[in-house]
Structures are given as C-alpha cells and as structure tokens.
Amino acid sequence: MMRDITIGQYYQTESVLHRLDPRVKITGTFIFIISLFVAKNITSYAVATAFLTAVILLSRIPFSFIVRGMKAVVIILFITVVFNLFLTPGITFVSFWRFKITYEGLKTAGYTAVRLTYLILGSSIMTLTTTPNNLTDGLESLMKPLKVFRIPVHEIAMMMSIALRFIPILMEETDKIMKAQLSRGADFESGGIIKRSRALIPLLVPLFVSAFRRANDLAMAMEARCYHGGEGRTKMKPLVYRSSDFTAYIVLCLYFALVITAQRVGML
Amino acid sequence: MGIVEIDNIAYEYIRRDEEGNVEGIVRAVDGVSLDIKRGEFISILGGNGSGKSTLAKQINAILYPCEGSVYVDGKDTSVEENVWDVRQAAGMIFQNPDNQIIGSIVEEDVGFGPENMGIPTPEIIERVNEALKTLRMYDYRKHSPNRLSGGQKQRVAIAGVVAMHPKCIIMDEPTAMLDPMGRKEVIRAARALNDVEKVTIILITHYMEETIYSDRIIVMDKGKVVMSGDPKEIFSRIDELKRLRLGVPQATELAYELKRRGVRLGSGILSGKELVTQICRSYATM
Amino acid sequence: MSIICDHVNFTYSRGTADEIQALKDISFSIGDGEFVGIIGATGSGKSTLIQHLNGLLKATSGHIYINGEDIYDRDYSLKELRNKVGLVFQYPEHQLFEETVLRDVCFGPKNQGLSNTEAEMRAYEALQSVNLMEDCYDVSPFDLSGGQKRRAAIAGVLAMKPEILILDEPTAGLDPEGREEILNLLKTLHDEQNITVMLVSHSMEDMADYAERLLVMDKGRIIMNGNPRDVFLNAELLEKTGLSVPQVTYILRELRQKGFDVDISATTVDEAADSIMRALGL
C-alpha cells in the first residue's frame, strides 16, 4: 500500500525535462501554480491544460505512474470539493433535505478540483523529473540571497535531500512494523478516534526509534566521509544554465502571458 | 612506519541511570595495541560486545581513546586539526547499507565524500567513475540506491569511500545484514581493493569464513585482544575459538573432528579444498 | 496443526505498470509438529509466502487451509488465524515499543482479550522459554543487548501461544553465539511443546542441522520439497537458483570425485565425519 505514493519520488528516464536545470523547473512549477490561480475561465484553463499535457508528454513518464501519485491526495481533493459544493452561496441548482447545491458551488467545486489536480500533477512532474539532490541544489541556489538574512540555506537543502532519500525507506518500515503488530493482534481499524489513536502507539514508537537510529547512523557515516557543512564544499554537478534552459524560460514567460491574455479575453 | 598505529588504548563508556547518575563504567576497549602495515589485510574477529566496533571507530576519529593514542598515517587522531586528514586517509564502511548512503542516485552518493573534501568538479567526476568501475557498479551509476540489493548497496558505500582515495578502509561488519550472495560480493570487493589497489583493509566481522584470506587475524573478547596471528595459526586453535563462542566454519570443524578421530591431517585447515587435498595426499594410494 | 496451500498465486500492484507475480502456483502441505525450512535466494518469494499464512496478504487465487479450514471463507476470523499462526518478522526487535519488556510481551495476549493477570502469566512463561532472566523483565526493551532484544521480541509472539510459529530469518545480523541461542530455542520449542515451526533462513548449514523438511523457492515457485538430505543432493540445481549446499556436502562431493566412497547425502559435520572415516577404512 505504501509503494503507491509517488509524490517526491524520482522517475528514471531520459527526456528534455529530465535534462533541464532544476532552477528552471522550480521556477516553472511556481509560475504554473500562480497561473492556476490567475486562470478563472475555460479559455485560460484550456491553455493550462494544453501546457500541462505538453509537459507530461515531454517528460516521457507513463501517465498511469503520475496518476498513481494522486491516490494519496484523493481524500483531500474529495473533502475540498464537497465543502465547495455545499457551502458556496448562490442560486440553487438542486436541493434536498437541509443541503443545497448552487450553480456557483458547482462551478467553484469544479474549478477547485481541476486546480488542485493540476497543482499536484504539475509539482509531481517536477519531482519525478528531477533527482532529489538536483532539486535541493536548485533550491539552494535559488535561495542563496537569503543567506544575507543568516538563513542556513545549505543546511536546509541538505536536510531536505536527506528527508527525501529516507521517505521511501521509512514508508517501507512503517508497512513492516504495521504488519508485525497486526501479527501480534493489533487492531488499527476499529473503534473511535481515541481508541484508534492509542492503537497507533505500537506503530509510532518503533518508527521513531528507528528514525532516530537511522539518523544517528547517518550522521556518523556523513562525518566519516568528511562532511563538515557547506564551507569549502565543491559540487560534483554544479548547476550551469544551457541554451535549452533559456528556451525553457522563454516558453514559461510565453505561457504565463498566454494565460493572462486568455483570462482577459476568454469566456465564462 | 605502519599506516595505523594503536598504542595501548582504552575506551570507556559511562553508563548512567535515568537521573543521570553514573551507574558504572564499561571498558569497551581495554589496553589494545596494534600496528597495521601498509597494504595489509587484517581481520578483527569477535562476538557482539567484544569491543571490535569501538576499536574501529577510534581509527576513523569518530571516537577518541580515553587512554593511549592512535596514529593514522603518522597523524595523532586526538589532535583536532588532524581530524579531516585522518578521516580521509582511513575511510569507514558501516553495517547497515541503507543508513550510510546519502545520495538518492548512486553516482551522487559516491561523489559526496570528494565534494566534502573540496575537490574540483572534473576530478570528482573522474574519481566517481573510477571508483564505480573498481567496485563493478558503473552500470548502476544512474540508479536509485533503494532498488539495489544489499550487496550492491554495500558496494556503492565502498565506492563512496574509495572515491576519497583513502590509504586504508575500515569495514565494520559490512556483511552482517546481507544474504550469502551479498556477503560474497562484499568480501570479493574488499580483497580486490587490497590486491589490486593496495589499499589497507581492516575487516571487522563475526563470520570466521570471511577472514581466511587475510594476512592477519586479531580475535577480540571483552575489549582485549585474545588471539593474534595468521589464519593458519588462528584456525588451528579450534578449542579456544569455540570457547569464545565464535562460529567455526564447517570445513574447519570437520577437519578438526577427523583429526580427533585419528585421520592424518595438518593443522589450521582453512577451506574445504585444502581438506580434500590433504586427505587425497595422505590416503589416495589406498 | 496443519497447513495446506492449494495452488496459491499472488501478484503485487495488480493492474499497474510494475505488476509482479510474487507467488506462482504454490501447493504444499505441512503436518502437525513439523520443523520445516524455507530456502530461496533474495526475492524468490519466501517473505511473501509466509505473510499469506497468517492472512497479512491475500492470495490472488488459490486456497489456504489451516487445520482443514479455508482461511478465505467469509466467516473465518482473521483474528483467530493470527492467534494460531504466530509470525516473527525479520529484525523483530524493531517492533518493541513498550516501557518494559514484560509489558511489551503482554501486548499480544492482551489483544487476544486476556485479562492483565492472565496476560502477565503468559508473558512470564514466554520470557522464561526464551531464556531471558527475570532481572530484565522490568527494564526498557531498548536497554537490552541485540540478542536479548531479539529473544524478547520472539517471546512477544510466543506469549500468544501460537500452534504454528513462522520466523523470517530470525538469526539475521546476530553473532554466532546469538544465532545458536535462537536456533536452539526453536528446537526446544518444537521438541517440547510440539509447536509446528517454519523457518526462513539463508544458512544451508543451519537448515541441515535443524530442519526436518525443506521447501526450496525460486522466482515465486516451489521447486523442491523434501528432507534436507534429498534436497542437498541437487547441488547443481540449487546453485542455479543462487543457493548452495552445506560446506561439508561440497567436501564430500569433491572426495567422491577423487574416488573416495563417501556418502554425499551427509549434511552435518558428524555425518560427514562418520562417512569419511568409513571410506578411509578407519
């Protein structure tokens, strides 16, 4: 069950997107997300859809694999849609018992669903085409100006890349501990909230213990390999912009301009 | 001068109770002296709690001796300025392959050490490729470590150390969590590094069969060195090894049992092949 | 307590891109009180198979009968199944979580619905049977040594009084002393309490010493099922699947090649010594 989560995972293949500089991809994702909030009509969404489709095709990652990452957030999506559907005031579309669905609600729910889905798809494309280390390198480089404010940019980036590396390992571990406790008769599924949260103790304690043990081991292994912070460190793969990256920036600008135009002149 | 010189060191753990009061002192390493020559392959054998890991960590300046001194490549490990030189000269491999791989891509992990040392980019790439080829993991350089087998992960970890161009590699039970295939892969890699690259290897293990190719075996118990010698010497002292509750390989045990029953055999038989040869030599004419 | 697996198939991530058929047409039966070993290279499906036997994974097709009852029957209780079939995972000490060893071992019995006193009695008994001394019952399980932790975790399963005990590489990562302790413990449980034991292990030598029967798995199938002596006669086939035979068996095979009349089905040191002595006429 834990294997199904693909958010934050890297998908190994060769594509234009894989080769792009992570800074472009991070900026791109950012622009895409903003564009989703700018877009409020069908025309602008059509532009966003076309862009997302093109990006997914360019990534050469099987669509089914990308969609699988959605499974984890389906519940959040569902809740958001339901809230929007029932709680938006406006002209009634249908009503039953105490509930009523309005035209406005229908519209907002629809847009929210699409927006959230696109948002997740867009950011998964970024993580799927960028190795976590590359991603953190990109973030580190983009955040460099923050060093002026004494923000430990390198350390944050290192922490993120380690977290990303250990997510799948800890997921697997959770699965294993859960099965071990189930074998000892643990019951994670029945009872009220209190009983259920208490049932999680046999899962969470071993998980924390294991996470600490791993952290300890890892710290030692890093020290043994001469890690001493970002000072005096070189990079195996320094980030260098190439011509394709500049093209990508131009494409991004064009896309954003197009969304804004579509929003101005489009319908609905 | 040896690559590692350990002079009468002791290491103590202080055990505390819940309130932080000292409950007792455990002498994990107690008066150990060891001189390891350049290019030597040395195995340290012992059960859990024999102090072998604590000893190893002091060679890499992760722990410092409470008494005595450790010199690596002529540098005192307890002098602070030497720490990075010592760690670069004496690389370390740990037991759990998952918990020592930092990178999410094989080659990025191998590059981690050289990056920390401040090596220029083109040279890092050169070193990484070279190290991966030595460990025969080059074809996996773009893979995620999570999909590799235990033996492969451990080889990646070794490549990560090799890329730092160490003079000596300490392997702290590198095979304890692996299946038999993975164990063979790792031991083969260690031997190749020693044979071809002339890297000094200190192998810490509780599997006796992994030590038969070493130049010297040190057996530890309760923080002390209790036996020391070449494999032939050590393997002929079965009774003592059994008393220390070390697992004796079947071939050695069979040779011992046959000898006890009156079969004419030499002492210190290391492998099945050797046993067969000896039996043939003494009895084939029949 | 008997187990019958009847044409069991299992597929991971069914219907997705990385669909893997982990078990292929598995059929075998295990009788009451047997000591069965399961061997196979990493990824051959051993762990997947044993997780089926206490219902953690459900076969894609096929049936499993425990004591003659189909565990996939609609009114068959999974809870009951897990009471009867105790499963000890690899590195079981990673599941310890309570404040004291005793309370941790009580976790299983309490989940079975036993009262505190009853659960504690069970826990006591289980801890005694794994040879843990009473002075460590009230300590935190995290303060025990590696081998002790492992035994405490096994006690946690034993306290549920399973009729079948299945263990996935219970000796992994332990030193020779710890390994021997665990294996002897299993033997005692099997001999004295007549518990059916299924043991997954990578050590052919241990299997030769302890198992009465071996199931050999390769790529999701059971390719051999028989007593260790017969199984280890097929050295070539075993090697093809990434396994091996006990070291002494190799020695005997080599001696046989050199013209000595030794019994190549011997798998333990004593048997091998006997056979060589006979062949040498001593």
Side-chain angles (χ1 to χ4, degrees):
Chain A
M1 58 191 124
M2 294 295 178
R3 291 165 204 247
D4 291 340
I5 297 172
T6 54
I7 292 179
Q9 274 202 44
Y10 173 67
Y11 187 92
Q12 155 87 35
T13 183
E14 281 293 322
S15 82
V16 190
L17 281 192
H18 282 74
R19 281 193 299 273
L20 277 185
D21 190 284
R23 287 170 291 184
V24 179
K25 284 185 266 190
I26 295 168
T27 320
T29 313
F30 205 60
I31 291 180
F32 181 68
I33 291 172
I34 295 174
S35 79
L36 288 178
F37 287 92
V38 170
K40 285 193 176 69
N41 63 20
I42 287 191
T43 328
S44 49
Y45 267 98
V47 176
T49 311
F51 180 74
L52 187 62
T53 316
V55 165
I56 290 176
L57 288 177
L58 278 177
S59 77
R60 299 178 63 183
I61 297 169
F63 190 61
S64 60
F65 191 86
I66 303 172
V67 169
R68 207 151 15 113
M70 294 288 298
K71 272 191 199 162
V73 283
V74 151
I75 299 170
I76 303 173
L77 194 64
F78 180 75
I79 294 172
T80 326
V81 167
V82 167
F83 268 94
N84 272 307
L85 208 53
F86 291 107
L87 298 178
T88 315
I91 308 153
T92 310
F93 172 63
V94 281
S95 68
F96 49 92
W97 194 38
R98 284 195 204 163
F99 299 106
K100 67 173 191 205
I101 296 176
T102 62
Y103 280 104
E104 284 77 1
L106 215 53
K107 199 175 141 193
T108 345
Y111 276 134
T112 317
V114 173
R115 191 177 286 160
L116 268 176
T117 314
Y118 281 18
L119 201 142
I120 294 156
L121 285 179
S123 27
S124 349
I125 289 290
M126 174 179 72
T127 54
L128 284 168
T129 59
T130 321
T131 68
N133 276 18
N134 226 329
L135 197 64
T136 44
D137 277 354
L139 276 175
E140 190 179 347
S141 159
L142 287 173
M143 294 194 307
K144 233 175 220 159
L146 296 179
K147 264 191 188 160
V148 182
F149 305 108
R150 291 181 171 263
I151 294 174
V153 176
H154 167 77
E155 281 71 17
I156 293 174
M158 181 55 79
M159 267 159 54
M160 279 175 40
S161 75
I162 288 171
L164 282 170
R165 147 125 178 85
F166 278 87
I167 284 172
I169 294 178
L170 288 176
M171 290 279 189
E172 217 168 276
E173 187 125 341
T174 312
D175 197 38
K176 233 177 77 186
I177 297 172
M178 204 154 164
K179 279 180 171 167
Q181 305 299 30
L182 280 172
S183 301
R184 291 167 80 193
D187 183 356
F188 295 113
E189 270 148 20
S190 62
I193 289 182
I194 294 173
K195 191 172 170 239
R196 274 201 199 193
S197 32
R198 279 185 62 183
L200 284 179
I201 294 174
L203 176 65
L204 293 179
V205 173
L207 199 60
F208 276 118
V209 171
S210 145
F212 278 116
R213 190 182 50 236
R214 286 182 191 279
N216 211 359
D217 283 5
L218 192 70
M220 197 153 55
M222 287 170 76
E223 269 193 31
R225 280 162 79 182
C226 294
Y227 181 72
H228 49 277
E231 214 55 39
R233 216 170 170 261
T234 45
K235 294 241 175 247
M236 178 182 176
K237 297 174 179 169
L239 298 176
V240 185
Y241 280 126
R242 287 176 308 181
S243 57
S244 57
D245 296 313
F246 293 114
T247 320
Y249 271 128
I250 295 169
V251 171
L252 278 171
C253 292
L254 286 177
Y255 161 72
F256 198 63
L258 208 58
V259 170
I260 293 176
T261 327
Q263 176 58 33
R264 288 273 169 81
V265 302
M267 38 190 245
L268 264 159
Chain B
M1 194 180 61
I3 178 79
V4 177
E5 282 171 58
I6 299 171
D7 183 27
N8 198 21
I9 59 165
Y11 188 86
E12 288 170 346
Y13 283 108
I14 296 171
R15 275 190 26 207
R16 289 172 195 279
D17 63 9
E18 276 154 26
E19 279 90 47
N21 301 316
V22 178
E23 266 190 334
I25 292 170
V26 184
R27 259 178 115 78
V29 174
D30 190 2
V32 172
S33 294
L34 201 57
D35 196 352
I36 300 169
K37 289 191 279 293
R38 273 166 215 276
E40 206 176 1
F41 191 126
I42 186 162
S43 298
I44 303 180
L45 203 58
N48 289 344
S50 61
K52 56 192 194 318
S53 286
T54 315
L55 175 66
K57 284 178 188 136
Q58 295 179 77
I59 306 176
N60 188 262
I62 288 176
L63 299 177
Y64 307 100
C66 304
E67 290 162 28
S69 57
V70 179
Y71 283 86
V72 174
D73 202 18
K75 294 199 165 76
D76 188 340
T77 61
S78 57
V79 176
E80 217 183 309
E81 298 91 76
N82 290 343
V83 168
W84 305 113
D85 287 338
V86 166
R87 288 190 184 155
Q88 193 262 311
M92 183 132 182
I93 302 294
F94 299 87
Q95 192 184 77
N96 188 331
D98 273 326
N99 297 357
Q100 57 184 316
I101 295 181
I102 295 115
S104 302
I105 298 288
V106 166
E107 59 176 7
E108 287 177 6
D109 182 70
V110 178
F112 181 76
E115 284 183 337
N116 292 333
M117 289 157 63
I119 310 265
T121 304
E123 202 192 325
I124 297 184
I125 293 170
E126 213 171 280
R127 283 182 176 213
V128 167
N129 289 341
E130 188 191 8
L132 283 169
K133 279 177 190 154
T134 311
L135 272 299
R136 294 189 294 127
M137 285 302 291
Y138 187 69
D139 292 341
Y140 295 91
R141 64 191 183 280
K142 302 276 183 202
H143 285 232
S144 151
N146 290 337
R147 304 251 163 155
L148 301 179
S149 74
Q152 289 173 328
K153 281 182 203 168
Q154 210 60 309
R155 271 149 66 202
V156 170
I158 298 174
V161 168
V162 168
M164 295 169 72
H165 291 181
K167 299 197 168 95
C168 148
I169 300 179
I170 306 139
M171 303 189 175
D172 188 2
E173 295 190 36
T175 59
M177 297 181 74
L178 306 182
D179 63 3
M181 286 268 235
R183 291 221 300 268
K184 266 187 215 155
E185 282 171 35
V186 169
I187 295 302
R188 209 176 292 146
R191 286 179 62 200
L193 280 175
N194 182 252
D195 272 356
V196 184
E197 316 282 326
K198 306 289 171 226
V199 181
T200 312
I201 303 279
I202 304 172
L203 174 70
I204 292 161
T205 180
H206 48 228
Y207 292 104
M208 251 182 90
E209 51 269 46
E210 291 175 353
T211 65
I212 60 174
Y213 302 104
S214 39
D215 299 314
R216 187 149 54 116
I217 300 176
I218 307 284
V219 182
M220 286 189 69
D221 187 46
K222 299 195 185 85
K224 290 192 161 74
V225 172
V226 288
M227 290 163 89
S228 165
D230 66 27
K232 271 212 162 340
E233 237 173 292
I234 301 289
F235 276 62
S236 62
R237 292 154 75 179
I238 302 274
D239 283 325
E240 277 169 84
L241 291 168
K242 281 195 165 173
R243 215 173 311 126
L244 292 167
R245 306 203 57 182
L246 290 164
V248 178
Q250 273 198 332
T252 316
E253 192 156 7
L254 179 60
Y256 173 78
E257 181 65 25
L258 288 173
K259 218 176 149 184
R260 202 181 56 85
R261 297 195 196 177
V263 177
R264 294 191 303 273
L265 292 170
S267 66
I269 288 179
L270 299 176
S271 65
K273 206 168 260 163
E274 208 177 331
L275 175 62
V276 172
T277 323
Q278 289 214 13
I279 293 180
C280 285
R281 199 182 302 144
S282 309
Y283 295 91
T285 44
M286 291 196 319
Chain C
M1 195 77 182
S2 66
I3 306 173
I4 297 172
C5 271
D6 184 22
H7 300 288
V8 169
N9 285 288
F10 180 73
T11 311
Y12 275 113
S13 332
R14 211 175 171 196
T16 65
D18 40 20
E19 180 178 297
I20 307 160
Q21 191 175 358
L23 296 182
K24 294 173 191 157
D25 199 32
I26 301 278
S27 294
F28 64 86
S29 74
I30 288 170
D32 201 8
E34 272 196 273
F35 194 127
V36 179
I38 305 179
I39 55 176
T42 306
S44 60
K46 298 164 296 182
S47 297
T48 310
L49 174 63
I50 59 174
Q51 287 180 37
H52 276 78
L53 301 179
N54 81 340
L56 285 172
L57 293 175
K58 190 171 186 294
T60 333
S61 70
H63 293 275
I64 296 173
Y65 302 91
I66 303 280
N67 269 353
E69 287 176 275
D70 187 343
I71 65 166
Y72 296 141
D73 254 0
R74 202 178 301 155
D75 46 355
Y76 193 90
S77 147
L78 267 185
K79 217 176 156 101
E80 272 305 301
L81 176 65
R82 288 177 190 155
N83 288 345
K84 282 183 209 154
V85 183
L87 182 55
V88 178
F89 276 84
Q90 230 176 26
Y91 300 101
E93 61 274 25
H94 291 177
Q95 75 194 20
L96 298 170
F97 69 99
E98 273 287 10
E99 279 164 42
T100 69
V101 172
L102 189 72
R103 283 178 61 180
D104 202 282
V105 179
C106 283
F107 180 66
K110 274 190 191 155
N111 285 331
Q112 287 177 305
L114 296 181
S115 72
N116 277 353
T117 9
E118 276 175 310
E120 268 180 31
M121 297 246 294
R122 286 276 195 91
Y124 249 91
E125 213 180 306
L127 284 165
Q128 297 268 331
S129 69
V130 298
N131 298 322
L132 275 176
M133 293 306 135
E134 269 176 54
D135 54 354
C136 59
Y137 294 0
D138 280 327
V139 236
S140 158
F142 302 108
D143 285 343
L144 300 179
S145 76
Q148 288 176 324
K149 269 189 210 168
R150 182 77 49 99
R151 279 182 283 147
I154 294 177
V157 173
L158 282 179
M160 297 173 73
K161 287 216 180 281
E163 291 165 65
I164 303 173
L165 186 64
I166 305 174
L167 307 101
D168 193 355
E169 286 188 66
T171 59
L174 293 181
D175 66 349
E177 188 176 351
R179 287 207 294 271
E180 209 183 299
E181 271 171 2
I182 300 279
L183 289 168
N184 286 338
L185 163 74
L186 295 181
K187 194 170 160 49
T188 318
L189 285 171
H190 170 255
D191 293 349
E192 288 172 9
Q193 303 184 29
N194 197 34
I195 295 181
T196 309
V197 177
M198 282 179 86
L199 175 67
V200 175
S201 170
H202 279 302
S203 164
M204 303 303 142
E205 286 81 13
D206 290 348
M207 284 304 191
D209 286 342
Y210 292 92
E212 294 164 354
R213 188 147 65 97
L214 284 182
L215 298 178
V216 184
M217 291 193 71
D218 180 39
K219 299 189 188 85
R221 290 180 197 281
I222 289 190
I223 55 163
M224 274 186 245
N225 177 356
N227 73 45
R229 294 175 75 99
D230 294 338
V231 167
F232 288 136
L233 278 175
N234 303 298
E236 290 81 12
L237 182 57
L238 287 170
E239 277 170 10
K240 220 176 281 166
T241 69
L243 298 168
S244 57
V245 301
Q247 237 189 336
V248 290
T249 312
Y250 279 119
I251 295 172
L252 293 170
R253 293 172 76 91
E254 232 169 292
L255 283 172
R256 165 73 71 88
Q257 266 185 359
K258 303 264 166 162
F260 291 95
D261 182 28
V262 289
D263 169 20
I264 58 166
S265 74
T267 53
T268 64
V269 173
D270 279 338
E271 285 171 9
D274 289 346
S275 164
I276 294 175
M277 294 306 283
R278 267 197 305 275
L280 296 178
L282 295 168

